[in-house]
Structure formats: structure tokens, C-alpha cells
Amino acid sequence: MAKKKFMREAVRLATESVVNGWGGPFGAVITHDGDIIARGQNRVLLTGDPTAHGEVEAIRKAIQVLNPEAPSISVEYQNRSTLKLIPREPCSPDPEPYRARMLKGCEIYTSGQPCPMCMSAIYWSRLDAVYYSQDLEDTAKIGFSDEYQYEDFKKPVHERSIRMVHSYPKLGKSAYEAWAERPNKHPY
């Protein structure tokens, strides 16, 4: 019953976004231990920010709730924040034995199946589960073509719809070396 309540709230937020002219019909809630800890709704038309999707907004708010001392989390505070290191999942291909916890232990409920940007944010956030009401086919029927992005990502880099050019690798190498050589790295 709680899952339906959470989905109802995600859909309410999505509908509110449409009614107010803030953006598309996309709302999301993030839960932890049976409680909603964050809400988000599409605000692309309100802000002009193409990343202001419901899922991303909810993730940003959940991080704020769980990290009240942010934006400057001290090294001492990391182990009490979403940056606390936890062991990688069993059978994970991740080369790091530990990663930051992020939103592990939380779930997200969305009015629509997440677009590739939101799904990437969900992976990075380490949410345990995604519950969605409308799928990509339903989303395409109302004019949002997220499925083509999933298909485009499957193509080799040189065949994608947005030109991607590997350039100046020597310039970027110093930043990568700085990370590789940094003592006491905090993998996230």
C-alpha cells in the first residue's frame, strides 16, 4: 500500500508541474525506511534548465536532506554523510572495493520511466530501485522521445547523432594524473 501512496505523490507532483506550466508531466519522490525524504518535479519550462527533471530534482533534494552540513562536507563529516564508503556490490565489475554510499538504501518513484540522463543520475546515486508509472512508449505518445537516446547510446561513438570528437588527450591527462596520484582518494 505504501508503494501506491508514493507513486500517487509522484503523479501529483507531475500533474502540478503541468498545471502550473513548469514543465512536462514528470514527478518523483525518494523514500527511505518507508518515508518520503525528497520530492522533485519537472521544472524545465520554469527555469530554462534542461536538466531540471523530476528525478534529478528529487536526487538533489535527497542529498541536501541527508547532508545537512553541505555544501562543504569536511573530511571528518564524510563518514556521516552520503560520502561514507561502503563495500561494492557482490559480483560488481567496479574496480574499486569501496564507493561512497550516496543514496544506497533509498528508492525512487517516478511518474514516467526515467530518460537516459535521469537513469544515469539514478545509477550514480546508487538508488536501490526505480518504480515508474508510464513506460517509454507511453512517454513517446505525448511527444517525449527518450527511447531514441537509449538507442543512440548503443551505437559506436562515431555513429551517434551528436558528433563526439576525442581531442587534445595530452591536455586532459594532467587532471587524470592528479586524481590517480592523489593520496587518500575518496571514490564516489
Side-chain angles (χ1 to χ4, degrees):
M1 194 62 169
K3 289 182 180 3
K4 189 173 184 178
K5 177 181 88 171
F6 300 146
M7 186 62 73
R8 186 176 288 122
E9 178 62 3
V11 171
R12 184 194 71 74
L13 291 164
T15 305
E16 182 180 62
S17 178
V18 172
V19 169
N20 289 327
W22 296 339
F26 307 107
V29 298
I30 293 180
T31 64
H32 180 70
D33 291 338
D35 293 316
I36 293 174
I37 63 166
R39 291 169 170 79
Q41 57 200 146
N42 189 290
R43 293 180 177 223
V44 171
L45 297 177
L46 180 66
T47 65
D49 178 353
T51 68
H53 290 200
E55 298 91 336
V56 171
E57 296 288 305
I59 288 167
R60 289 175 179 156
K61 289 175 183 170
I63 295 298
Q64 290 172 353
V65 166
L66 297 175
N67 294 328
E69 294 185 28
S72 55
I73 298 173
S74 65
V75 174
E76 298 82 32
Y77 184 70
Q78 285 178 347
N79 284 331
R80 296 189 317 259
S81 75
T82 57
L83 296 175
K84 178 180 180 179
L85 295 177
I86 60 171
R88 70 174 172 231
E89 295 290 319
C91 302
S92 170
D94 189 344
E96 294 289 338
Y98 294 90
R99 289 275 181 196
R101 176 174 44 101
M102 299 300 181
L103 295 178
K104 191 82 183 132
C106 298
E107 298 178 332
I108 190 167
Y109 293 78
T110 72
S111 57
Q113 186 174 345
C115 73
M117 176 188 69
C118 292
M119 201 61 224
S120 292
I122 288 165
Y123 276 110
W124 278 108
S125 300
R126 293 188 184 81
L127 287 157
D128 291 353
V130 177
Y131 298 89
Y132 60 92
S133 179
Q134 301 297 289
D135 64 19
L136 293 177
E137 188 176 314
D138 297 323
T139 304
K141 288 177 185 174
I142 61 166
F144 294 90
S145 56
D146 296 339
E147 193 165 10
Y148 98 88
Q149 294 172 21
Y150 279 109
E151 294 300 319
D152 206 45
F153 286 145
K154 292 178 187 176
K155 296 177 183 176
V157 171
H158 66 278
E159 292 180 17
R160 293 186 185 167
S161 62
I162 294 177
R163 184 168 39 100
M164 296 188 60
V165 182
H166 182 196
S167 55
Y168 310 110
K170 289 180 182 177
L171 284 177
K173 188 173 183 179
S174 64
Y176 277 44
E177 287 171 347
W179 177 258
E181 295 168 6
R182 181 178 170 83
N184 301 321
K185 271 191 295 257
H186 198 89
Y188 61 90

